[in-house]
Amino acid sequence: EPRSTWCCLAWSLVVVTMNALVFLINLLLLFVIFTIVLLPTIVVVYFGFQCHSQVLHSSARYCKSILDDNSSSALIILGFVIMSPLIVVAMVTYCSLARRLRLLTCFQPCSRAVYKGVRWRWYEEGGLCGCAQGWNAQLRAWV
């Protein structure tokens, strides 16, 4: 049966808040994984730009003794070349972790707030977001 207007608004706020929290957790996990995996690229490009005379031209000792403009350019090019495979590795890592933790099944539809007696998806599957039970064959993206 449908909820009253105020009850529907309150439960809609709960559902939207829960979905926003799940979204923020996914975004934070994505940011952490990409930062860790792309750290070599970030470091190489940073040192390349820092020591190049046309960009920042740092007065650090390693820029004067080890890195000249040619080696700085090589570092910049190397950083951008290794970025593509590392982005693929980061995306695969995120997708496998999100699949294992079943983070994308934690989103709740708004119909949970409109009708009384509709159980939450995580409650029906036996735990928070269904992590307590085995895999459901319908939720698999690949075998």
Side-chain angles (χ1 to χ4, degrees):
E1 73 183 68
R3 296 182 192 272
S4 66
T5 305
W6 290 107
C7 186
C8 182
L9 288 175
W11 277 102
S12 296
L13 183 65
V14 169
V15 169
V16 167
T17 304
M18 181 178 166
N19 286 342
L21 286 174
V22 170
F23 175 76
L24 289 176
I25 290 170
N26 276 304
L27 195 63
L28 179 69
L29 182 66
L30 185 73
F31 177 75
V32 167
I33 289 174
F34 268 75
T35 302
I36 291 171
V37 172
L38 292 176
L39 190 61
T41 298
I42 294 168
V43 170
V44 167
V45 170
Y46 171 76
F47 282 118
F49 278 124
Q50 184 182 18
C51 295
H52 200 280
S53 66
Q54 299 291 325
V55 185
L56 292 177
H57 195 59
S58 175
S59 61
R61 184 174 49 98
Y62 55 85
C63 287
K64 292 178 182 178
S65 62
I66 299 173
L67 297 173
D68 59 353
D69 280 350
N70 291 333
S71 57
S72 296
S73 297
L75 281 179
I76 293 169
I77 292 169
L78 176 68
F80 284 113
V81 166
I82 65 173
M83 186 185 301
S84 296
L86 289 180
I87 287 175
V88 172
V89 169
M91 200 63 212
V92 166
T93 304
Y94 168 74
C95 288
S96 66
L97 191 59
R99 180 175 173 249
R100 173 132 348 247
L101 296 176
R102 300 180 73 173
L103 292 176
L104 300 177
T105 60
C106 292
F107 290 105
Q108 297 294 325
C110 287
S111 62
R112 306 281 189 221
V114 176
Y115 297 103
K116 292 180 183 176
V118 179
R119 292 187 172 185
W120 295 90
R121 184 179 302 158
W122 60 267
Y123 180 76
E124 294 168 355
E125 293 178 356
L128 184 63
C129 300
C131 298
Q133 287 186 342
W135 287 101
N136 186 352
Q138 296 172 345
L139 295 176
R140 290 184 184 176
W142 60 86
V143 178

